[in-house]
Amino acid sequence: MHVLLADIGTGSVKVEGYSQDAEVVERVVEPYPDRAPGGRDDELDPEVWYDAFRRAVRSLADGNAGAGRTPPTGLDSVKYIVLTGQMQNLILLGENGPLRNAVLYYAQRPGERYRRFLDRIGSDRLTGLIRNTPDTAQFPAKLLHLAEEEPEVLAAVRTILCGAHDYVAWRLTGHAGTDPTTAATTGMMNPVGGDWVPEILRELPIDAETPAPIVPGDRDMGPIQPERAEELGLPPDVRVIHGVGDVGASVLAMEATGHRRSCYLGTSGWVLDTGPLDHPGDPERGVFNLRHPVRNELIRVAPLLTATGAFDWLLELFSPDTDARTELFEQLPRDAARMTPEAGRVVFLPYLSGERSPFKDPAASGTFIGLTRGTGRIELFRAVEEGVAFAVRSILDALDQGVGDRVPEPILLSGGGAAVSGMPDLLADVTGETFELAEEARFSGTRALLTLVPGTGSVASPVRAARTSPTADSSPTVRTSPAQASAPAQKGGRSFRPRYTEPVYDGKYRVFLDAYRKNRELMHMLSEKT
């Protein structure tokens, strides 16, 4: 193996080993353990990310990733590690490491100090500085909340990291950095100017030098530390490429295939495109403007806070047994795919963690409408699938706002949700768009990291949208939740167009939109009571 590519994701760490010819050699997926009771659901010990990364790499080193296959070639020839991962996680480092749990990307931290912060700068002024709508999931709100609750922690902060892959890069090399795409999610960076905003930092209870330096995604962070190399079973001369946040990886995958828009469906999801610095998306529609990881361009992304996470949630309700959930996840998508658009009378709002696009509402909640005595597991699963597809349509509408007439062109589809049987067809039917499945859709964003490795620029891209029949490939060892695991169907190689000449889902889509508008007040009443 020449390169290890690692995705420090929401539910697991995925590590792939590639040869110098850009061919995948080995792959392993290492899920995170169940959280200990009593902790906050929106915080996580950052060592969980590194521990899962370590277990995944050790699995490769010990020859366990290819069970039942030819023994792996080993890690003695690895020259580079490249990273990606979830973004917008507030990670506070002191002199000797993390000072507390990371505050995760979806965590909301409203408070009086944040309101005063907005008053001092002005909400409109702040929107202009960060090219995004300020919200309580961004770092200013989280830092000001900690200043109130844990002032001794903030006093000890020496470095602030912004993403899960930032933390793993720091653990491997001892050097701190964050890529432009990840930095732009924090609410402290101007994605057009490409740097931290001094006016914002001056208003926060931190030293202006504590945010990690913003480095290009292809930055060589140096050699792996000797003790890390030893515990991972890697050569001592391995270099660590910082890499990019997960949205940045999706952009690299999209660009490698010649697409201009992409849709990612993991535990969470998004739809995105790119454009010049002087054409940002509309923040009021929930479009976030991020910086391209290696070029002077903007990424315009509309997020979906819950995508396949809704499948996991539903399956966990159906059964507490992991094996039973795996069987259900193999069967339910096939059964649901046989339902016609008219057969399903249940509508589901997938706002299990609130939502950010096409509206920003942390109090938005998951909702079923239309349940009857005849509603069963298949109908519920289909409603959840449709709810995710409707949410994708709503954020496509938000992304297109103000862009003008788009030239019809396929959308690159990736992530674990893309591998769910019937899901690409449903997305095409609901949105009226054509989707092209990235080859090995669950891993396409990780594979795109190869473009950041020195000497691989001339190698034919492995991140293609395969439009031919799937080729035979080794199956990875996957130890993860059923909805995150790669389903046996849908490896790649297909284009999915709307199957109906009429917009058969328009009526139900209007119900989906109205369901939130008409129930928003009730959602907020329940949120206040809890």
Side-chain angles (χ1 to χ4, degrees):
M1 279 180 276
H2 183 66
V3 181
L4 294 183
L5 308 180
D7 178 3
I8 318 302
T10 304
S12 64
V13 168
K14 298 181 279 289
V15 177
E16 296 182 279
Y18 277 81
S19 70
Q20 196 163 4
D21 296 326
E23 295 296 330
V24 64
V25 177
E26 292 293 339
R27 173 183 297 149
V28 66
V29 177
E30 186 67 41
Y32 303 133
D34 293 335
R35 298 196 185 180
R40 293 190 64 136
D41 290 339
D42 56 9
E43 295 187 359
L44 185 71
D45 182 351
E47 276 297 288
V48 168
W49 296 321
Y50 181 74
D51 284 344
F53 170 81
R54 177 182 52 79
R55 291 195 303 274
V57 175
R58 286 302 314 177
S59 182
L60 293 175
D62 295 340
N64 296 326
R69 299 159 51 195
T70 303
T73 59
L75 303 180
D76 56 315
S77 60
V78 172
K79 297 298 182 186
Y80 295 98
I81 296 173
V82 196
L83 302 165
T84 184
Q86 58 171 276
M87 308 184 298
Q88 200 177 329
N89 302 297
L90 178 65
I91 306 158
L92 305 179
L93 300 182
E95 292 288 354
N96 300 310
L99 295 168
R100 68 180 317 280
N101 284 349
V103 186
L104 299 179
Y105 62 96
Y106 56 85
Q108 306 281 335
R109 293 292 186 268
E112 182 58 34
R113 288 196 177 200
Y114 181 66
R115 286 189 287 272
R116 292 200 298 267
F117 165 81
L118 288 179
D119 289 341
R120 287 193 300 272
I121 295 183
S123 183
D124 290 343
R125 169 68 175 160
L126 191 55
T127 299
L129 290 171
I130 64 175
R131 297 299 197 275
N132 292 298
T133 302
D135 65 47
T136 55
Q138 293 167 346
F139 281 16
K142 293 171 178 175
L143 288 166
L144 290 164
H145 179 266
L146 287 172
E148 181 75 27
E149 299 293 325
E150 304 174 37
E152 71 286 351
V153 170
L154 280 194
V157 172
R158 297 296 177 266
T159 304
I160 297 176
L161 301 178
C162 310
H165 67 297
D166 290 353
Y167 184 77
V168 173
W170 173 79
R171 284 287 268 123
L172 292 174
T173 67
H175 299 304
T178 191
D179 65 277
T181 307
T182 302
T185 67
T186 65
M188 303 191 306
M189 176 203 179
N190 183 325
V192 175
D195 209 345
W196 302 117
V197 181
E199 184 175 342
I200 295 174
L201 298 183
R202 285 195 297 268
E203 295 290 338
L204 298 177
I206 57 172
D207 189 286
E209 302 302 317
T210 53
I214 299 173
V215 299
D218 56 2
R219 172 66 60 84
D220 185 335
M221 300 296 285
I224 189 172
Q225 297 184 92
E227 60 270 29
R228 300 285 86 80
E230 182 176 355
E231 74 177 0
L232 295 169
L234 291 168
D237 59 347
V238 172
R239 311 291 296 188
V240 177
I241 307 297
H242 184 274
V244 301
D246 46 19
V247 171
S250 286
V251 168
L252 296 178
M254 176 185 75
E255 293 175 342
T257 63
H259 289 76
R260 299 189 181 189
R261 289 186 294 171
S262 74
C263 174
Y264 171 81
L265 295 181
T267 303
S268 56
W270 57 75
V271 179
L272 61 81
D273 64 7
T274 60
L277 294 176
D278 58 353
H279 282 76
D282 182 4
E284 294 305 314
R285 297 274 294 175
V287 178
F288 286 76
N289 296 293
L290 308 180
R291 183 81 172 202
H292 194 285
V294 293
R295 292 206 307 274
N296 292 329
E297 292 183 3
L298 286 179
I299 302 170
R300 298 178 294 222
V301 56
L304 174 64
L305 285 184
T306 303
T308 65
F311 302 158
D312 279 331
W313 165 79
L314 187 65
L315 292 171
E316 287 166 3
L317 290 183
F318 287 165
S319 176
D321 182 71
T322 301
D323 292 338
R325 291 200 299 268
T326 299
E327 292 179 8
L328 284 171
F329 191 65
E330 291 175 354
Q331 185 61 42
L332 284 175
R334 292 196 291 268
D335 293 338
R338 299 188 187 102
M339 295 179 63
T340 64
E342 298 81 12
R345 297 293 181 181
V346 180
V347 172
F348 174 69
L349 307 186
Y351 307 135
L352 300 177
S353 299
E355 195 48 280
R356 287 185 173 183
S357 182
F359 54 83
K360 293 189 177 184
D361 187 356
S365 58
T367 306
F368 281 110
I369 296 177
L371 299 176
T372 69
R373 289 289 299 271
T375 303
R377 288 180 171 182
I378 297 173
E379 290 78 15
L380 288 175
F381 192 86
R382 181 62 172 186
V384 170
E385 288 184 311
E386 290 179 353
V388 172
F390 290 144
V392 169
R393 177 171 171 176
S394 72
I395 61 179
L396 274 168
D397 292 344
L399 196 64
D400 285 346
Q401 186 76 16
V403 172
D405 294 333
R406 282 191 184 273
V407 177
E409 54 189 352
I411 299 171
L412 182 67
L413 180 62
S414 64
V420 176
S421 179
M423 196 65 194
D425 279 316
L426 180 61
L427 285 168
D429 294 340
V430 165
T431 64
E433 300 274 3
T434 297
F435 289 83
E436 288 189 348
L437 193 62
E439 186 179 17
E440 294 195 309
R442 190 179 177 210
F443 293 90
S444 64
T446 315
R447 291 159 68 96
L449 299 178
L450 284 177
T451 62
L452 304 178
V453 179
T456 62
S458 61
V459 175
S461 171
V463 198
R464 55 194 175 275
R467 299 172 190 175
T468 58
S469 298
T471 56
D473 187 34
S474 303
S475 299
T477 297
V478 177
R479 299 184 298 275
T480 185
S481 63
Q484 293 171 320
S486 296
Q490 315 266 2
K491 180 195 165 198
R494 297 176 61 188
S495 181
F496 298 85
R497 296 177 176 82
R499 295 171 294 177
Y500 303 93
T501 57
E502 299 294 326
V504 293
Y505 281 99
D506 280 9
K508 195 180 289 186
Y509 179 58
R510 286 193 293 271
V511 174
F512 173 85
L513 296 177
D514 284 345
Y516 169 72
R517 294 166 184 158
K518 293 180 178 179
N519 287 284
R520 179 182 180 278
E521 183 177 351
L522 297 177
M523 292 176 181
H524 281 248
M525 289 173 62
L526 289 172
S527 177
E528 291 170 3
K529 289 182 180 298
T530 57

